[in-house]
Amino acid sequence: MRKTFAVIRREFVERVRTRWFWIGTILGPLLMVGLIGFQILLAGRRAGDRNVAVVDASTTAFGRQLTTQLGASIARFHFTRVATAPGVPDSLLADSLLGEVEAKRLDGFLLVGDSTLEFGTAEYRGSNVSSVADMEQLEGSLRRLVFAARLERRGIDTLVVQQAEIRIRLATHKVSGRKLTGESGVQSFMTGFGMAILLFIAILLYGVNVMSSVLEEKTTKIVEVLISSLRPFELMLGKVIGAGAVGIVQLTVWIVSAKLLSGIRTAGGLGGGFQFPQIPTMTLVIFVLYFLLGYFLYAAIYAAVGAISSTEAEARQAQVPVQLLLMIPYVSFFGILNDPNGSLAVWMTLIPFWSPIAVPVRWGASPIPVIEMVASLAILLVTVVIVTWVAARVYRVGILMTGKRPNIKELVRWVRAA
Amino acid sequence: MSEAIVAVDRITKRFSGHTAVDGLSLTVPPGVIYGLLGPNGAGKTTTIRMIMNIIVPDEGSVRLFGTAGTGRDYSARIGFLPEERGLYPKMRVLDVLMFLAETKGVERRVARVKATDWLERLGLADWRLRKVSELSKGMQQKVQFISTVLHEPDLVILDEPFSGLDPVNSQVLRDTVVDWRRRGKTILLSTHIMEHAEKLCDHLTIIARGKKLVDGPLSTVKQQHGGKHVTVVFDDGGGGSAAAAVLADRKLVAKTDDYGQYAELELASGADHQEILRRLVGAGVRLNKFELVEPTLNKIFIDLVGPEAAHAAAVPQVEGVARA
């Protein structure tokens, strides 16, 4: 045990001494500051004015009326009606308008016609189509105005329509254990999103650290001396724990600084936009628990990957499947949040290679039934033990191998060998 | 009393396709410098790795210090220098030494003191806080030797210790090894350079293709396998036909290397060198010198493994583990 501790200490101290540790540790909070600053900047800046031409191909007064109403409905948009003239082909008109857009005298143009009123179709071409806010406002206003026009056509009074219109604001609150958590939907989402990113990066980063540490001992040949006094398993365990301890320290720095930053932000009274979510203790416990188990699972795999490789390049290539495996829950976090109790979320909770990211994300969105939680932890724990056992056997043979990387058949033989 | 420090009993190790070590036995008595000799690919490194329990023999057993304990159990009493040397390039010299001592069970505090002592003794004191990668190759080798003996082991195992050493460091190492023996330590070293072995080793084993060819104390090996050799230097003009007739007698001379002015003779078994001298003088051959010489270990080695060595060199080395 004392020997293993020597390995842990070396792994920890040497990592903490590197420039990258300090850059990573400080960069995390700096990125958060940057993100918040950026959000404040965005929230503080008024979106710019837009000049939009309305190409009216309607045969009624609808187009003219719509142009006026649009102008009244979105203050920062300036609409100018352009009527299609009989005899002038539409393509020619479109061409000249595109020229205007290119010259930045126009931001875009909206094509409306009789079909807009009949079937609700319209087209917008412009340089600002990627602005979600612009497009949402434009579409929303169009929807309301066309809806009103259609009602009026059926003889319903404009005044009645105006009075019937009401803007709905849906307030979302997460419920957990029959209680309101005080967390809004957006906050739940942010918590889930933040945890998914953090877990993915952390597990990957520290896992790869274990891999390169194994590889370093292999390429420098020092492993032979180590193996003559330590059991391979002791060496591997020491590495995994040592690199993991670095991870815990770094994560702690990040989480604490996030907490502090959110405190400063609230105190500064900068409301609106991006809010740093309050993280309940239980969420934090689950986060740390799953990080640790997930880290052990992947670190063992990464140790084996390092052991079967002979060069950095080879190792980078060999770890791609592992990375992809970890990416699956990361990219599915949207699906999990959309339906936290759906079958995708449940499966992700149970599959041990995915649960380390999926469960904290799911927990952030909705409470998880106790039975699923227990099953998830049990399966993950058993898998960690099995994978570590298999990885240790691959590691034991691999660290003394040079040359060609073994294929699956050879790996199976290594694992079976007594 | 003189229980074997290392007792290897019929160990065999096979790697996919070939047998690296084949039923090899050897016994290292305490307090000697023991040479494990063989051509490249003979199985020296594999044997040492099995002694250290880095790899497990397929058959046979290894006993250390008279018990069934493995190299790892005795890591505090064994200093091991593998053939392929390496240190952590990014670590500080002192930290590496302390860490490696810790893995052998030395307390950190003690390790620091001893490492500092050693570095001072080998003139590396100023480098102790530098990174290993900043050291020259020779310095790194010194650090490596320190790490091998820092914990004051009773048994020192050196795999090809002279490879890559310049003549000065080579001499330093030879002196050190002799000094260790004087202090009662047992040294097991492998080499394929016979000059080193001849000067250093008390005991030796020569192996080729995983099998033992000969073993025993150096003097015994020389007696039993060297045969008797005589160098003859002729007076001006060479031995002529009279000498040739004497040397052609296969009852007396087994083999002749005639260089004209002088010849090296290997005596036939049971032959008396005085008889040759008498016959040569009797035949009227004029001699400047007639000397009975001891064969060099190198000659014994080449005689024993010559054809094997040629074969081994032709076998491509497939896997690192499979190397001798």
Side-chain angles (χ1 to χ4, degrees):
Chain A
M1 199 54 225
R2 208 168 79 191
K3 293 179 179 182
T4 310
F5 183 72
V7 178
I8 296 173
R9 182 216 297 269
R10 192 201 82 84
E11 205 64 36
F12 183 82
V13 171
E14 290 304 313
R15 293 239 165 259
V16 168
R17 272 190 188 157
T18 59
R19 207 176 317 135
W20 288 113
F21 173 79
W22 292 100
I23 292 175
T25 308
I26 295 166
L27 211 61
L30 275 182
L31 270 177
M32 282 185 250
V33 171
L35 191 70
I36 292 169
F38 185 66
Q39 294 280 353
I40 293 170
L41 207 73
L42 275 190
R45 213 192 66 178
R46 215 176 78 90
D49 289 358
R50 302 273 183 261
N51 283 313
V52 174
V54 179
V55 180
D56 181 12
S58 65
T59 52
T60 61
F62 169 70
R64 197 179 299 274
Q65 196 188 336
L66 183 74
T67 312
T68 328
Q69 285 172 337
L70 271 175
S73 146
I74 323 173
R76 64 188 180 89
F77 275 61
H78 304 291
F79 293 96
T80 323
R81 180 173 167 272
V82 181
T84 51
V88 177
D90 285 359
S91 58
L92 203 68
L93 184 64
D95 268 355
S96 69
L97 285 170
L98 283 174
E100 292 290 293
V101 172
E102 196 182 23
K104 299 207 188 299
R105 280 189 289 273
L106 272 184
D107 288 292
F109 52 98
L110 180 69
L111 305 163
V112 294
D114 291 338
S115 66
T116 309
L117 193 56
E118 292 302 325
F119 310 111
T121 56
E123 190 180 337
Y124 180 81
R125 300 178 192 169
S127 54
N128 60 331
V129 286
S130 58
S131 160
V132 178
D134 281 9
M135 292 305 107
E136 266 180 5
Q137 274 187 303
L138 192 60
E139 197 186 339
S141 295
L142 263 178
R143 187 190 306 126
R144 273 206 332 278
L145 294 174
V146 171
F147 180 65
R150 284 171 66 98
L151 288 176
E152 272 172 54
R153 206 169 55 164
R154 289 288 180 158
I156 293 167
D157 191 354
T158 324
L159 217 67
V160 176
V161 175
Q162 271 173 16
Q163 281 171 352
E165 266 184 355
I166 184 166
R167 196 180 152 90
I168 303 292
R169 290 185 183 80
L170 179 67
T172 52
H173 295 284
K174 186 187 159 194
V175 177
S176 176
R178 293 186 175 213
K179 286 192 307 236
L180 274 176
T181 56
E183 228 179 290
S184 75
V186 175
Q187 278 178 329
S188 280
F189 178 83
M190 287 312 299
T191 312
F193 183 59
M195 285 195 299
I197 290 187
L198 215 55
L199 281 166
F200 178 70
I201 292 179
I203 292 176
L204 202 67
L205 194 69
Y206 304 119
V208 169
N209 272 350
V210 171
M211 179 179 84
S212 50
S213 171
V214 169
L215 202 62
E216 186 196 18
E217 284 174 1
K218 203 179 150 172
T219 49
T220 59
K221 311 286 179 194
I222 198 163
V223 71
E224 212 176 318
V225 176
L226 297 177
I227 286 309
S228 72
S229 41
L230 285 153
R231 248 172 288 143
F233 185 71
E234 288 176 314
L235 186 58
M236 186 176 115
L237 193 69
K239 283 194 170 307
V240 170
I241 294 175
V246 177
I248 292 285
V249 168
Q250 210 158 37
L251 276 181
T252 308
V253 171
W254 289 348
I255 291 172
V256 167
S257 58
K259 280 254 178 196
L260 287 178
L261 280 174
S262 69
I264 290 166
R265 204 165 129 62
T266 317
L270 295 154
F274 175 79
Q275 277 285 345
F276 233 99
Q278 286 295 311
I279 300 164
T281 317
M282 195 55 199
T283 307
L284 209 61
V285 168
I286 285 178
F287 176 84
V288 172
L289 191 64
Y290 274 87
F291 164 71
L292 283 178
L293 287 172
Y295 165 74
F296 270 106
L297 181 63
Y298 279 91
I301 300 176
Y302 270 112
V305 170
I308 61 169
S309 311
S310 297
T311 60
E312 275 286 341
E314 220 178 272
R316 266 201 302 277
Q317 203 185 18
Q319 63 95 38
V320 169
V322 186
Q323 198 175 340
L324 289 179
L325 193 64
L326 188 62
M327 241 162 103
I328 293 170
Y330 175 64
V331 294
S332 347
F333 95 96
F334 241 121
I336 296 169
L337 287 180
N338 263 342
D339 190 2
N341 288 307
S343 59
L344 174 77
V346 173
W347 276 113
M348 291 254 162
T349 304
L350 295 179
I351 293 176
F353 295 97
W354 301 343
S355 60
I357 289 181
V359 169
V361 168
R362 190 180 162 198
W363 180 269
S366 141
I368 299 174
V370 175
I371 180 94
E372 278 178 39
M373 203 67 201
V374 170
S376 164
L377 275 173
I379 294 171
L380 182 54
L381 215 72
V382 169
T383 311
V384 168
V385 172
I386 293 172
V387 166
T388 307
W389 183 82
V390 170
R393 300 196 136 219
V394 171
Y395 175 82
R396 192 185 56 185
V397 183
I399 44 176
L400 293 172
M401 281 282 175
T402 52
K404 188 178 128 304
R405 205 164 69 206
N407 56 33
I408 298 289
K409 222 171 93 188
E410 282 166 310
L411 283 180
V412 170
R413 211 174 56 218
W414 291 5
V415 173
R416 280 195 182 156
Chain B
M1 199 39 218
S2 65
E3 187 159 29
I5 298 289
V6 181
V8 172
D9 187 26
R10 286 163 293 175
I11 51 170
T12 296
K13 185 73 195 176
R14 295 180 199 91
F15 294 108
S16 49
H18 83 288
T19 307
V21 174
D22 191 357
L24 182 72
S25 297
L26 54 91
T27 308
V28 181
V32 301
I33 299 176
Y34 194 101
L36 181 60
L37 316 180
N40 294 325
K44 301 189 293 289
T45 295
T46 306
T47 302
I48 287 176
R49 282 180 170 177
M50 283 191 280
I51 291 172
M52 293 304 299
N53 197 35
I54 292 170
I55 52 176
V56 183
D58 296 332
E59 288 159 31
S61 67
V62 174
R63 288 170 70 84
L64 296 171
F65 302 104
T67 69
T70 66
R72 228 164 269 137
D73 300 329
Y74 282 112
S75 62
R77 293 180 66 186
I78 303 176
F80 171 49
L81 181 73
E83 179 187 14
E84 306 220 47
R85 289 170 222 148
L87 295 163
Y88 294 100
K90 287 177 224 145
M91 270 179 96
R92 294 176 190 165
V93 172
L94 187 62
D95 288 339
V96 175
L97 288 174
M98 278 161 63
F99 169 66
L100 289 175
E102 269 186 290
T103 65
K104 286 159 191 156
V106 182
E107 251 184 79
R108 213 172 152 72
R109 236 169 348 102
V110 181
R112 183 191 299 274
V113 175
K114 286 189 177 171
T116 312
D117 268 8
W118 267 102
L119 288 170
E120 207 138 312
R121 213 178 307 166
L122 294 188
L124 290 171
D126 293 343
W127 296 84
R128 67 185 194 284
L129 295 181
R130 299 287 197 90
K131 282 182 181 176
V132 170
S133 57
E134 292 171 34
L135 269 59
S136 73
K137 210 164 173 203
M139 290 181 194
Q140 288 190 23
Q141 272 166 344
K142 281 185 189 170
V143 173
Q144 199 118 32
F145 290 132
I146 295 175
S147 77
T148 309
V149 292
L150 184 68
H151 55 299
E152 292 174 13
D154 300 321
L155 169 64
V156 182
I157 297 181
L158 310 169
D159 195 358
E160 295 283 356
F162 297 102
S163 74
L165 287 191
D166 62 35
V168 176
N169 279 319
S170 212
Q171 185 59 50
V172 170
L173 179 65
R174 265 203 302 275
D175 296 346
T176 314
V177 168
V178 171
D179 182 50
W180 286 339
R181 183 191 42 190
R182 200 172 299 131
R183 287 195 267 146
K185 297 184 190 309
T186 307
I187 296 108
L188 169 62
L189 62 87
S190 81
T191 182
H192 62 274
I193 303 169
M194 293 308 127
E195 285 75 14
H196 292 309
E198 184 153 23
K199 284 177 194 152
L200 278 174
C201 299
D202 311 301
H203 269 65
L204 53 89
T205 290
I206 296 178
I207 64 172
R209 298 177 77 185
K211 285 190 178 132
K212 179 161 73 184
L213 299 178
V214 60
D215 71 343
L218 179 65
S219 51
T220 316
V221 169
K222 280 195 169 183
Q223 268 170 26
Q224 289 176 351
H225 295 271
K228 270 180 164 175
H229 291 258
V230 168
T231 306
V232 183
V233 180
F234 303 109
D235 203 4
D236 56 290
S241 56
V246 177
L247 300 185
D249 185 348
R250 285 287 160 264
K251 283 206 284 286
L252 288 173
V253 181
K255 209 169 130 210
T256 309
D257 287 332
D258 196 342
Y259 296 92
Q261 287 288 8
Y262 80 104
E264 284 174 10
L265 317 180
E266 188 184 329
L267 270 62
S269 60
D272 182 8
H273 56 278
Q274 295 297 344
E275 176 66 16
I276 300 173
L277 180 58
R278 210 157 32 231
R279 291 269 298 273
L280 284 172
V281 174
V285 179
R286 292 180 61 81
L287 298 173
N288 270 355
K289 191 173 175 187
F290 183 91
E291 188 184 22
L292 194 62
V293 291
E294 205 179 32
T296 62
L297 192 56
N298 199 40
K299 173 142 182 39
I300 298 172
F301 180 72
I302 289 171
D303 285 350
L304 281 171
V305 304
E308 308 274 1
H311 179 83
V315 174
Q317 296 180 348
V318 189
E319 291 167 339
V321 174
R323 249 174 315 165

